[in-house]
Amino acid sequence: DTGVSQDPRHKITKRGQNVTFRCDPISEHNRLYWYRQTLGQGPEFLTYFQNEAQLEKSRLLSDRFSAERPKGSFSTLEIQRTEQGDSAMYLCATGVNEQFFGPGTRLTVL
Amino acid sequence: GQNIDQPTEMTATEGAIVQINCTYQTSGFNGLFWYQQHAGEAPTFLSYNVLDGLEEKGRFSSFLSRSKGYSYLLLKELQMKDSASYLCAVKVVGYQKVTFGIGTKLQVIP
C-alpha cells in the first residue's frame, strides 16, 4: 500500500464529455504528481504540485486539462471535451525522490 | 530533453539471473530509478541510484555509471512473479518530474 488512493478506478465516457479524477494521499505529502500512461509506453509526466502550488506543467497538458490541489491534500485532474486520444491510465504519485503511485484511473473515451 | 533506451522485451528462465540494461542521454542528471509494473497495475518503486556503483536490495540490484549514461537492473533467482515490465526513469536538476523509458517486458518461463 503506497498510501495513495484514486477515484474512480475506471471511467468510460463519450467523446466531448468532461471528466474529473481525484487523488487522495492518505498521509500528509507535500509533493504530488500526475502522470498519464498509454498501452506499451512508460508514464508521461503531466504536472507537479508542492502543497497547493502547481510548480511544473508539461507541454503535453493542453488547455483541455486542468489540475488543482486546493488545500494541499487531495488533488483533482479535469479533462474537458474528451477525445479518443485521451484514453489512458491516469496515475497520481507522491514522494520526494522515489515516487509512490496510486492504483490509477483507467479512462476510456468512446 | 531526455532520451532513455531499454530493450522492449526479454525472456529468462525461472531460477536464473537476468540483467536489464538502460542507457540515457540527458543534461543535468540527478538520479535514475527502476520501477516494476505488472500488467494492469501501477508502477512500484524498486531502486534509486544517484552515485556510481551498485545498490543491492534482496534479489534485485541496480548499477549506475554516470560517465557512460548507463544503468542496469539485475534480478537474481528469478521467480514466475517477476514477469512484469521494468521501467527505467531519470530525473534532472531543477525539475521534480521523472522521465520514464518505455519499459522492458520480462517474461519468466519455467
Side-chain angles (χ1 to χ4, degrees):
Chain A
D1 185 1
T2 61
V4 181
S5 62
Q6 292 187 245
D7 183 70
R9 297 291 304 275
H10 302 274
K11 178 71 177 178
I12 300 174
T13 191
K14 293 183 179 179
R15 190 174 50 190
Q17 298 295 305
N18 299 344
V19 294
T20 300
F21 311 139
R22 179 176 170 123
C23 171
D24 277 275
I26 293 176
S27 56
E28 290 296 323
H29 289 283
N30 63 355
R31 301 185 187 202
L32 188 147
Y33 313 77
W34 284 99
Y35 288 82
R36 177 177 69 186
Q37 186 175 24
T38 54
L39 199 62
Q41 301 295 316
E44 292 177 292
F45 172 80
L46 293 178
T47 191
Y48 159 68
F49 289 87
Q50 183 156 331
N51 299 312
E52 65 274 9
Q54 188 174 22
L55 298 183
E56 291 178 28
K57 191 174 174 180
S58 168
R59 284 172 289 179
L60 294 173
L61 219 62
S62 74
D63 291 344
R64 297 184 298 106
F65 287 70
S66 62
E68 293 183 343
R69 196 182 184 200
K71 297 182 181 179
S73 56
F74 74 92
S75 176
T76 59
L77 177 69
E78 181 184 17
I79 309 174
Q80 296 182 327
R81 305 182 303 282
T82 52
E83 302 172 355
Q84 287 184 325
D86 297 332
S87 294
M89 176 80 89
Y90 289 83
L91 296 160
C92 175
T94 62
V96 177
N97 286 312
E98 59 269 33
Q99 298 189 347
F100 299 99
F101 287 87
T105 295
R106 182 167 296 282
L107 173 67
T108 302
V109 182
L110 302 176
Chain B
Q2 296 86 47
N3 190 38
I4 300 171
D5 289 311
Q6 52 182 131
T8 54
E9 293 183 352
M10 297 182 72
T11 302
T13 306
E14 190 177 14
I17 299 173
V18 70
Q19 178 174 312
I20 303 174
N21 296 325
C22 171
T23 57
Y24 63 89
Q25 294 174 317
T26 188
S27 56
F29 175 83
N30 195 29
L32 186 141
F33 305 83
W34 284 97
Y35 286 83
Q36 179 190 61
Q37 187 173 29
H38 285 99
E41 298 182 8
T44 55
F45 170 77
L46 291 177
S47 67
Y48 171 55
N49 294 67
V50 64
L51 300 175
D52 286 356
L54 186 69
E55 296 276 344
E56 296 185 78
K57 195 183 292 185
R59 294 189 298 114
F60 293 9
S61 302
S62 57
F63 171 83
L64 175 66
S65 169
R66 294 176 62 144
S67 62
K68 295 182 179 178
Y70 169 69
S71 173
Y72 67 74
L73 180 69
L74 194 71
L75 290 75
K76 303 176 185 176
E77 302 168 14
L78 279 173
Q79 302 175 10
M80 298 300 290
K81 67 178 182 180
D82 297 329
S83 293
S85 285
Y86 291 85
L87 299 158
C88 175
V90 299
K91 199 169 181 180
V92 297
V93 173
Y95 293 92
Q96 294 302 318
K97 72 172 188 178
V98 174
T99 302
F100 287 81
I102 64 170
T104 297
K105 188 174 181 180
L106 174 67
Q107 184 181 17
V108 180
I109 58 176

